[in-house]
């Protein structure tokens, strides 16, 4: 997290989110699957760390292997072709989004830390049980502990969604999105970002999505005119090395 100074001088706490090669890797169509959705992948991964069915699906679709893949329900007219890469301008400034991720794991925590209990009294008969949660159940009737009783246990490491985060700024050059407030997860963790379900979309949202423009392939006549021992441009060479 960091802060961003607004035009009126106020500072706004923001979380910096980075797009790590976020692109469409698959589709779900009503004719084949009964519903329409897009599968979005991000992050690079070695082929040996991917299961064989996923490798075959990526090869069939002509897309690169991704470390994380998430599925998003969309309408039929919003389906995108595999290989479509998202830009940070997919979310416009002033839009509200929902961030879903895994919270920071705290391990086995007591009732005071996990549920904000006040603990027992510091004196007057309480002996070495000041941070305990106190009584657990009732008497013979009902003679059991109710489900959901707040007690000590595993804290954190749960999937949670933070709703209605405002998009403060975007940077297409660096592939960065700045949202107001905090998001679930530790620094460097992965998030699924989607349009807010409880807020209307503002005007100017790209339809169907903010996609990077694909470079047009050279025409056949132009390719024939080029010499055989031509040097690839820097951008092409870098892309080849990355692949």
């Amino acid at each position: 997290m960091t802060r961003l100074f607004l035009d009126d001088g106020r500072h706004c706490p923001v979380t910096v989110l980075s797009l790590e090669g976020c692109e469409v890797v698959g589709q779900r169509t009503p004719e084949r699957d009964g519903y329409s959705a897009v599968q979005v992948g991000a992050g690079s991964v070695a082929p040996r760390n991917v299961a064989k069915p996923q490798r075959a699906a990526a090869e069939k679709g002509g897309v690169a292997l991704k470390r994380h893949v998430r599925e998003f329900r969309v309408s039929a007219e919003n389906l995108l072709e595999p290989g479509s890469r998202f830009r940070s301008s997919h979310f416009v400034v002033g839009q509200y989004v929902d961030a879903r991720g895994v919270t920071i794991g705290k391990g086995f925590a007591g009732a005071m830390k996990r549920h904000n209990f006040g603990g027992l009294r510091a004196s007057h008969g309480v002996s070495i049980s000041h941070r305990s949660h106190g009584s657990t159940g009732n008497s013979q009737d009902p003679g059991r502990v109710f489900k959901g009783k707040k007690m000590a246990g595993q804290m954190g490491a749960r999937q949670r969604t933070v709703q209605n985060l405002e998009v403060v700024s975007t940077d297409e050059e660096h592939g960065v999105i700045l949202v107001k407030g905090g998001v679930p997860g530790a620094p460097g963790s992965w998030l699924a970002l989607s349009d807010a379900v409880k807020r209307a979309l503002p005007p100017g949202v790209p339809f169907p999505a903010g996609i990077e423009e694909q470079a047009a392939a050279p025409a056949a006549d132009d390719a024939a005119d080029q010499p055989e021992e031509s040097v690839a441009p820097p951008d092409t060479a870098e892309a080849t090395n990355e692949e």
Side-chain angles (χ1 to χ4, degrees):
M1 293 189 67
T2 182
R3 63 176 178 173
L4 191 69
F5 286 94
L6 305 180
D7 296 335
D8 55 2
R10 294 182 295 114
H11 79 275
C12 176
V14 296
T15 302
V16 183
L17 307 177
S18 175
L19 296 178
E20 300 291 341
C22 188
E23 63 178 329
V24 178
V25 297
Q27 289 182 343
R28 292 289 184 264
T29 58
E31 298 78 14
R32 184 186 62 188
D33 306 292
Y35 67 98
S36 57
V38 291
Q39 290 180 327
V40 180
S44 58
V45 63
R48 66 177 180 273
N49 295 330
V50 180
K52 187 175 181 179
Q54 281 70 31
R55 294 201 304 266
E59 184 178 355
K60 181 179 179 181
V63 295
L65 295 175
K66 297 297 181 179
R67 179 174 296 275
H68 294 276
V69 178
R70 294 291 182 270
E71 188 172 290
F72 296 89
R73 291 287 189 102
V74 296
S75 56
E77 59 271 14
N78 285 334
L79 285 175
L80 300 173
E81 295 298 325
S84 302
R85 186 180 291 263
F86 289 93
R87 298 180 301 178
S88 59
S89 59
H90 176 75
F91 299 107
V92 299
V93 176
Q95 179 182 356
Y96 289 87
V97 296
D98 295 340
R100 184 173 69 254
V102 179
T103 60
I104 300 176
K106 304 292 185 179
F108 191 96
M112 293 183 67
K113 181 176 181 180
R114 191 184 185 200
H115 300 292
N116 199 27
F117 280 13
L120 305 188
R121 302 186 65 177
S123 61
H124 295 286
V126 177
S127 176
I128 56 174
S129 58
H130 307 286
R131 296 183 62 89
S132 64
H133 52 72
S135 177
T136 300
N138 298 307
S139 59
Q140 186 175 356
D141 184 18
R144 63 184 177 88
V145 178
F146 290 110
K147 290 184 179 180
K149 175 68 177 178
K150 293 181 179 180
M151 302 175 66
Q154 168 67 34
M155 182 179 178
R158 297 287 191 271
Q159 181 171 282
R160 293 293 181 263
T161 301
V162 177
Q163 296 181 328
N164 302 331
L165 297 174
E166 182 182 358
V167 177
V168 179
S169 177
T170 59
D171 188 346
E172 286 193 16
E173 181 180 357
H174 298 92
V176 169
I177 303 173
L178 277 68
V179 297
K180 183 178 181 180
V183 297
S189 58
W190 295 86
L191 292 171
L193 211 62
S194 59
D195 299 334
V197 297
K198 296 181 179 178
R199 295 293 187 99
L201 292 176
V205 175
F207 181 84
I211 301 299
E212 291 184 1
E213 298 293 338
Q214 301 292 337
D221 298 339
D222 299 340
D225 296 338
Q226 295 180 357
E228 296 181 357
E229 299 181 358
S230 59
V231 179
D235 295 341
T236 307
E238 292 179 1
T240 304
N241 292 335
E242 290 178 358
E243 293 175 359

